């Protein structure tokens, strides 16, 4: 079985076994020792720990992989003008797709009204954070302490710092050439590490979903069925409609082949519910399966996820 099939099998098995475990825990005549074993030993113990370790293993790669990869990519750019054009194109495309996504979401939500009839009393306890002025948003992009930015996982600041380092290396002659080779070597090592983690993906996915469904079961899905259908419908329209049209219009590439080569990344994102944790897998797929150059992928992937 290939990796995609193994991940899908792990997802299906985890959902079935997790839901069955949750139903068993609701059985009034279940022995206390068995309930404790299932709840604390498996759902809240072994499988919970395994799932969290898997996600943590992905997240720990994000900052070093993005930094090293982006330095390598920036070193290969021919001057600041190339970086400027790449930045404008990437940011412009992200703004366009975001605007389309928001418009589709509002339209479908207005048509289906997914929140009607659902008890939303807990929503009254939520207070939205205060919005920042646009000027402060731009100021916050630039790090005053790069080590702190890396420690906190502030990806925009890490991206800016990596670009500055890459530009400095590209303009440093023989010194820069030696450093460029070292960063390229580190980039290969990080990609190898991602490949090793991907082999453990089915087990990590199983742990995550088993723990989730053993605690919550399928009953929660029933209460939010219309909301889930609305979200999945909008995601489907955007992923299978908007993106393939843009891909065909801008590149002429086959959207079906694109979706096939990105399916492992999509399964990772679905299982972990984290675009940041999926960055290492995305970078690997974009560079090694789609054939995108490192100088493009290293800039656009972390920026898009952020």
């Amino acid at each position: 079985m290939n990796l995609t099939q193994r991940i899908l099998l792990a997802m299906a098995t985890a959902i079935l076994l997790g839901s069955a475990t949750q139903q068993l825990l609701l059985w009034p005549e279940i022995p206390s020792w068995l309930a404790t074993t299932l709840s604390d030993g498996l759902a809240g113990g072994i499988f919970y720990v395994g799932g969290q370790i898997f996600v943590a293993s992905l997240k720990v790669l994000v900052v070093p992989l993005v930094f090293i990869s982006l330095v390598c990519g920036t070193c290969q750019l021919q001057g600041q003008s190339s970086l400027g054009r790449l930045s404008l194109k990437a940011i412009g495309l992200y703004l366009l797709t975001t605007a389309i996504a928001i418009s589709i979401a509002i339209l479908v939500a207005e048509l289906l009204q997914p929140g009607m009839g659902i008890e939303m009393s807990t929503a009254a306890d939520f207070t939205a954070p205060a919005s920042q002025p646009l000027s402060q948003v731009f100021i916050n992009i630039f790090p005053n302490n790069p080590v702190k930015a890396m420690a906190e996982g502030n990806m925009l600041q890490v991206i800016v710092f990596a670009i500055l380092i890459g530009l400095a290396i590209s303009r440093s002659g023989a010194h820069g050439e030696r450093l460029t080779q070292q960063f390229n070597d580190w980039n290969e090592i990080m990609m190898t590490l991602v490949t090793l983690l991907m082999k453990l993906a089915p087990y990590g996915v199983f742990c995550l979903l088993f723990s989730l469904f053993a605690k919550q079961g399928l009953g929660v899905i029933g209460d939010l069925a219309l909301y889930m259908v609305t979200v999945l419908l909008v995601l489907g329209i955007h992923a299978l409609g908007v993106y393939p049209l843009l891909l065909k219009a801008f590149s002429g590439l086959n959207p079906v082949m694109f979706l096939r080569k990105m399916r492992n990344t999509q399964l990772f994102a679905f299982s972990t519910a984290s675009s940041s944790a999926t960055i290492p897998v995305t970078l690997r797929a974009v560079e090694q399966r789609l054939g995108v150059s490192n100088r493009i992928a290293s800039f656009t992937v972390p920026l898009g996820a952020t």
Side-chain angles (χ1 to χ4, degrees), residues 164-193:
L164 293 175
I165 293 293
L167 288 174
I169 291 175
S170 67
R171 300 169 68 90
S172 299
H175 304 288
E177 291 176 4
R178 290 195 295 270
L179 267 181
T180 298
Q181 186 57 51
Q182 291 185 26
F183 272 103
N184 286 332
D185 292 340
W186 272 108
N187 192 47
E188 290 298 322
I189 292 171
M190 296 301 295
M191 285 298 181
T192 302
L193 187 53

Side-chain angles (χ1 to χ4, degrees), residues 99-171:
I100 294 173
I102 292 170
S103 303
I104 295 174
I106 292 174
L107 176 62
V108 175
E110 286 292 329
L111 291 174
L112 299 184
Q113 297 289 321
M116 296 297 290
I118 298 178
E119 178 59 42
M120 300 287 285
S121 59
T122 54
D125 301 328
F126 175 75
T127 303
S131 60
Q132 294 182 332
L134 186 60
S135 58
Q136 188 61 42
V137 172
F138 283 114
I139 292 172
N140 291 341
I141 291 176
F142 293 86
N144 53 26
N145 187 335
V147 177
K148 181 181 178 182
M150 292 180 181
E152 295 178 349
N154 190 326
M155 293 311 301
L156 285 177
Q157 293 189 359
V158 172
I159 289 171
V160 170
F161 182 63
I163 289 174
L164 293 175
I165 293 293
L167 288 174
I169 291 175
S170 67
R171 300 169 68 90

Side-chain angles (χ1 to χ4, degrees), residues 89-103 238 242-243 246 250:
K89 288 179 181 178
I91 293 172
L93 186 61
Y94 286 143
L95 290 176
L96 172 64
T97 53
T98 301
I100 294 173
I102 292 170
S103 303
H238 200 58
V242 175
Y243 284 158
L246 290 174
F250 285 117

Side-chain angles (χ1 to χ4, degrees), residues 35 42 51 136 178 213 219 222 229 254 263 267 275 287:
L42 295 180
Q136 188 61 42
R178 290 195 295 270
F213 279 86
V229 168
N254 184 351
R263 60 192 177 191
L267 290 174
S275 56
E287 291 185 22

Side-chain angles (χ1 to χ4, degrees), residues 22-23 26 45 48-49 54 90-91 99 103 139 156 175 187 191 212 262 281 287 292 303 305:
Q22 196 263 348
Q23 290 298 313
L26 295 176
Y48 175 78
V49 171
F54 173 65
I91 293 172
S103 303
I139 292 172
L156 285 177
H175 304 288
N187 192 47
M191 285 298 181
L212 175 66
M262 291 297 287
V281 183
E287 291 185 22
V292 178
L303 179 65

